[in-house]
Amino acid sequence: MKFTKMHGIGNDYVYVNCFEESVKNPAEVSKFVSDRHFGIGSDGLILISPSAIADFRMNIYNADGSQAEMCGNGIRCVAKYVYDYGLTDKTEISVETLAGIKYLRLQVENGKVASVEVNMGAPILEPKEIPVAVEESPVVNVPVEVKGKIYHMTCVSMGNPHAIIFMNNVKDLDIAAIGPYFENHTVFPKRTNTEFVEVLDRNTVNMRVWERGSDETLACGTGACATTVACILNDKTESEVTVHLLGGDLKIRWDREANQVYMTGPATVVFDGEITLPDGIA
């Protein structure tokens, strides 16, 4: 199987061009290639395919084989791939995802995509649609007990579920000790991604993320978008925020009038390769 490894500020995936390749068992392939000791090493697998309703389609599989609806860092890399590898010459494209069609604007420098702005669509705030099993709507600053401690969460879906927890000194958080308990809490019927966020000023935050199905990752684009929405709902920031993640920065803007969230950030090719898949999953 030919592949390209790419990352968006450290959120790395194995990308397969399904215009040319066939992946019969993507969940098992994702688990295999994601292994950082025996595989390629990644947060998951992303398939780039033809679409009947958009320019391209992306299908995302987490490192544990579960399927994700949307990935903000991943979709920027899809945009870079299809332009840089000659699948399109357009600088404005549409991509079909399980969270709907997303629209992207590509910034090209010296014939290559340098950064991508993604219209991530409207944030979903209705608890049943996120989903989160609470009565409050929107779910803003709602208490939740995790491992015997009360936290206050704001929940947002950007096509996938997020719970945002505001705290101080997020860099010292033992995220591996608490992340799985949020992810698998009974209040989240489909599990959740959890963002632990420290507000620095009205335009800047630090964020760490425990991703559903992938543990802590260096970045999460949908999480940065959900965090910005949560910051604004809690009156902690203005409408445009720089989100500092472990892998780098994303600029997020929530246009309240149009109710659209925009994410801008880089996409990087790491290397191209070819791998022999084990018997049974090829």
Side-chain angles (χ1 to χ4, degrees), residues 128-184:
K128 289 182 180 179
E129 296 179 25
I130 293 173
V132 54
V134 299
E135 296 298 323
E136 294 88 347
S137 181
V139 187
V140 176
N141 200 34
V142 173
V144 59
E145 184 175 341
V146 179
K147 285 193 74 177
K149 181 178 178 180
I150 299 297
Y151 296 85
H152 287 80
M153 64 180 181
T154 297
C155 295
V156 179
S157 172
M158 293 302 306
N160 54 356
H162 295 271
I164 295 87
I165 310 295
F166 293 103
M167 59 173 53
N168 296 321
N169 201 23
V170 71
K171 68 181 177 63
D172 292 332
L173 173 69
D174 186 355
I175 196 170
I178 191 66
Y181 290 90
F182 275 96
E183 176 183 353
N184 298 292

Side-chain angles (χ1 to χ4, degrees), residues 35-146:
D35 191 291
R36 297 188 186 275
H37 299 286
F38 298 100
I40 298 163
S42 68
D43 292 325
L45 172 73
I46 292 182
L47 308 180
I48 304 171
S49 308
S51 170
I53 57 175
D55 294 319
F56 301 96
R57 186 177 83 237
M58 67 181 287
N59 289 96
I60 311 152
Y61 294 84
N62 295 316
D64 66 355
S66 60
Q67 195 164 11
E69 299 91 344
M70 176 58 190
C71 174
N73 292 312
I75 201 169
R76 293 201 315 277
C77 290
V78 168
K80 180 174 177 62
Y81 184 97
V82 298
Y83 187 92
D84 288 8
Y85 287 78
L87 299 183
T88 186
D89 59 0
K90 298 194 297 183
T91 56
E92 294 189 9
I93 65 170
S94 58
V95 179
E96 177 190 356
T97 76
L98 290 181
I101 298 175
K102 305 300 177 185
Y103 298 91
L104 298 82
R105 182 178 290 115
L106 287 56
Q107 180 185 344
V108 177
E109 296 177 3
N110 300 318
K112 302 286 186 183
V113 171
S115 68
V116 181
E117 181 191 75
V118 187
N119 181 343
M120 299 289 283
I124 296 166
L125 304 176
E126 177 61 37
K128 289 182 180 179
E129 296 179 25
I130 293 173
V132 54
V134 299
E135 296 298 323
E136 294 88 347
S137 181
V139 187
V140 176
N141 200 34
V142 173
V144 59
E145 184 175 341
V146 179

Side-chain angles (χ1 to χ4, degrees), residues 18 21 34 45 74 98 109 167 193 202 205 236 246 259:
C18 290
E21 299 282 328
S34 298
L45 172 73
L98 290 181
E109 296 177 3
M167 59 173 53
N193 304 284
R202 295 288 297 180
V205 303
K236 293 181 180 291
L246 295 181
N259 195 28

Side-chain angles (χ1 to χ4, degrees), residues 203-260:
N203 296 102
T204 320
V205 303
N206 287 335
M207 179 189 120
R208 290 176 66 188
V209 57
W210 184 266
E211 285 204 57
R212 178 184 60 168
S214 293
D215 301 344
E216 183 174 25
T217 60
L218 295 180
C220 177
T222 55
C225 293
T227 288
T228 298
V229 171
C231 286
I232 296 165
L233 291 175
N234 285 277
D235 193 28
K236 293 181 180 291
T237 68
E238 304 301 328
S239 60
E240 188 164 331
V241 177
T242 296
V243 182
H244 297 314
L245 303 111
L246 295 181
D249 295 349
L250 291 174
K251 290 192 178 296
I252 312 296
R253 176 171 58 90
W254 184 17
D255 183 336
R256 296 291 297 272
E257 187 173 331
N259 195 28
Q260 300 288 295

